[in-house]
Amino acid sequence: MPFLLLPVDDPPGPASDRASIERNCIALLSSPVALAADPASAGWLGRHSDRPAIPASGLWNNRHAFAAFDPEALAQFEIWVERCPSLLDKIAAGAELGSRPPATGYATGGNSMRLKDKTALIIGAGQSPGETLGNGRATALRFAQEGARVLCADRDLASAEDTARQAGNGAAAFRADVLDEAALEAAVAEAVRLWGRLDILHYNVGVSIAGGDAPPTEITAEAFDRVTAINLRGFVLAVKHALPVMRRQQGGVILSISSAAAVESYPYVAYKTTKAAMLAFTEQVAIQNAGHGIRCNTILPGLMDTPMAVDTRVRHTGKTRAEVAAERDAKVPLRRRMGTAWDVANAALFLASDEAGFITGVALPVDGGRLVQIG
C-alpha cells in the first residue's frame, strides 16, 4: 500500500476535524511518481520509497502526487491517522475515491509537454485567502508544468509573484487590476514584450458574495455594477487588447472561468447574470475570430473546494469550514465530493493545448455531474 507524507508546516485542517483530515489527505493521492519540495526532500523520499522522486517547489498539494518534505512529516501523519483510523483504508482505496491518473509532461518523466514554448497570460493568477488552492494559481502551475511561459497577473502583486515563483519555467508576475483597462492593456503588452507573442489568454477573475451580490430584490446598484465590472467588463476588455495580437499571429487561445451558476438555479443576481453573459461573449469571440485561427472557450466549474467558493462563505455565514464543505459535498453526484482547483486547471490545460485544436465556442462543465442531475 502506498504511504503518504505531508508537510509539517501546513497540516490538512484542524487535527480534531476528521472530515477535514480525510479531505485534505485524500486530495494528495494517486501518482506513481512522488513530488518533493526540493532536491533534499526528493533524496530522502527516494531512500524511503520505491517511487521515483522529483523535486518541484510549490506543487506539493497537487492531487497527482505524493508529497514528502522531511522525516518529521511522517510522525505528524501518524498522529492524524490515530485520530482518523479510516484514513489508511481510504488511501489504499484511492482509485475508488476519485484519484486521478498521473499528469503528463515532466511530472511523470515523460517527454511530451502539451504547452511547450507557448506563452500565456493568466489574469487572476494570485491566491485568495483560504485553506485550499485557487483556480488561478493551480492553472498557472499546470501551464508551466506543461512547458508554457506564464505571465501571472493579479491586483495583488505579491500573490502573483508567489505564484510565479512556484510555477517556475521563467514565469513572471505583473500587477493588473481588472477594473483598470489600461492595466489590462499593459499586461498584454508585457507578455508580448517578454516573449514576442501571446498564445493563451486566460481570464480567471470572479466575485459574488464578497462583491455585495444579493437576490434580485436586495441587490444594490453599486454592488451590481461592481460584480459586473469584475466578472464581465474585465473579461471583455482583456479580450479587446489580446485579439489584435492574436490576429497578427493568426492564432491563439482565449479561455475564461464562467460558472455552472450561469445555467443552474443560483440565488444571487449579479454573479449569475455576468457568468451567463460570459457564455454569449465566448460564442461571439469564437465565431468572429475563427478565421484568424483563434479559439475561444469557457469553463463552467461546479461546486469546487476553493478559497473563493468555500472560505468566503465561511466568513459570511459564520459556519465552520467543515460545515460549508459538507453541505456542498452532498450536492455533488460524483462521489459526493467537491472538485478542486486542479480539476479546473486540467480542463484549462486541455482547452489551451493543441489536443483541443478543433474545439471553439464551447462551455465545458467541470462539475461532477451536477448539471446533468438538474437537467
Side-chain angles (χ1 to χ4, degrees):
M1 184 186 74
F3 67 88
L4 174 68
L5 303 179
L6 302 176
V8 294
D9 60 342
D10 198 355
S16 61
D17 183 349
R18 292 191 176 190
S20 178
I21 293 171
E22 291 183 3
R23 176 193 313 282
N24 287 278
C25 289
I26 292 169
L28 294 170
L29 292 176
S30 85
S31 176
V33 176
L35 191 66
D38 50 49
S41 298
W44 183 89
L45 181 62
R47 294 191 297 273
H48 292 78
S49 169
D50 58 358
R51 290 177 175 77
I54 298 174
S57 175
L59 288 176
W60 68 266
N61 55 350
N62 189 336
R63 68 165 59 201
H64 294 294
F66 290 93
F69 278 58
D70 55 54
E72 295 178 10
L74 181 56
Q76 182 63 62
F77 180 62
E78 289 172 346
I79 293 173
W80 291 326
V81 170
E82 287 179 6
R83 290 173 175 157
C84 185
S86 64
L87 182 59
L88 287 177
D89 291 336
K90 293 193 175 185
I91 290 174
E96 197 174 306
L97 286 157
S99 56
R100 304 291 197 270
T104 59
Y106 69 68
T108 54
N111 296 318
S112 175
M113 288 192 181
R114 296 154 78 184
L115 299 181
K116 182 175 174 55
D117 297 329
K118 301 288 187 181
T119 66
L121 167 59
I122 298 179
I123 299 175
Q127 175 71 32
S128 301
E131 292 188 12
T132 56
L133 199 66
N135 294 332
R137 178 165 290 178
T139 301
L141 299 182
R142 285 297 283 126
F143 279 16
Q145 184 186 35
E146 293 292 342
R149 291 164 291 179
V150 182
L151 181 60
C152 303
D154 199 277
R155 66 175 182 174
D156 183 344
L157 180 58
S159 186
E161 289 172 338
D162 192 28
T163 298
R165 280 193 297 270
Q166 293 186 35
N169 196 42
F174 190 84
R175 187 188 183 283
D177 188 331
V178 300
L179 298 177
D180 181 0
E181 180 180 0
L184 294 171
E185 182 179 14
V188 171
E190 178 67 4
V192 175
R193 185 191 72 81
L194 287 172
W195 301 306
R197 59 185 294 113
L198 177 61
D199 296 302
I200 304 160
L201 168 68
H202 183 38
Y203 192 81
N204 180 79
V205 181
V207 66
S208 177
I209 298 173
D213 204 359
T217 57
E218 301 171 24
I219 190 74
T220 66
E222 293 78 14
F224 187 84
D225 289 345
R226 183 185 309 118
V227 174
T228 301
I230 294 170
N231 293 3
L232 180 60
R233 190 185 73 185
F235 178 37
V236 172
L237 295 177
V239 171
K240 169 186 174 181
H241 294 290
L243 277 176
V245 176
M246 293 182 175
R247 286 175 175 175
R248 286 195 299 270
Q249 297 168 177
Q250 283 298 290
V253 176
I254 295 172
L255 302 175
S256 66
I257 299 296
S258 177
S259 171
V263 293
E264 68 174 348
S265 177
Y266 189 80
Y268 306 120
V269 62
Y271 188 77
K272 179 175 180 64
T273 54
T274 54
K275 292 300 184 178
M278 291 177 73
L279 306 188
F281 183 58
T282 293
E283 293 176 352
Q284 181 185 44
V285 173
I287 196 61
Q288 290 182 352
N289 292 277
H292 297 284
I294 299 169
R295 298 188 294 109
C296 184
N297 297 297
T298 192
I299 296 169
L300 307 182
L303 294 166
M304 314 305 292
D305 193 355
T306 60
M308 179 203 164
V310 177
D311 297 272
T312 300
R313 284 171 170 78
V314 171
R315 292 189 290 272
H316 282 79
T317 64
K319 297 178 181 179
T320 67
R321 195 179 199 284
E323 289 172 335
V324 173
E327 290 174 0
R328 292 167 64 83
D329 280 345
K331 298 176 183 177
V332 180
L334 188 61
R335 307 183 192 96
R336 296 299 173 191
R337 185 163 55 110
M338 288 183 286
T340 73
W342 298 112
D343 296 306
V344 174
N346 285 327
L349 171 62
F350 165 68
L351 290 174
S353 74
D354 291 341
E355 296 166 15
F358 201 57
I359 299 175
T360 193
V362 307
L364 175 63
V366 181
D367 67 343
R370 183 165 165 80
L371 292 184
V372 175
Q373 181 185 49
I374 67 174

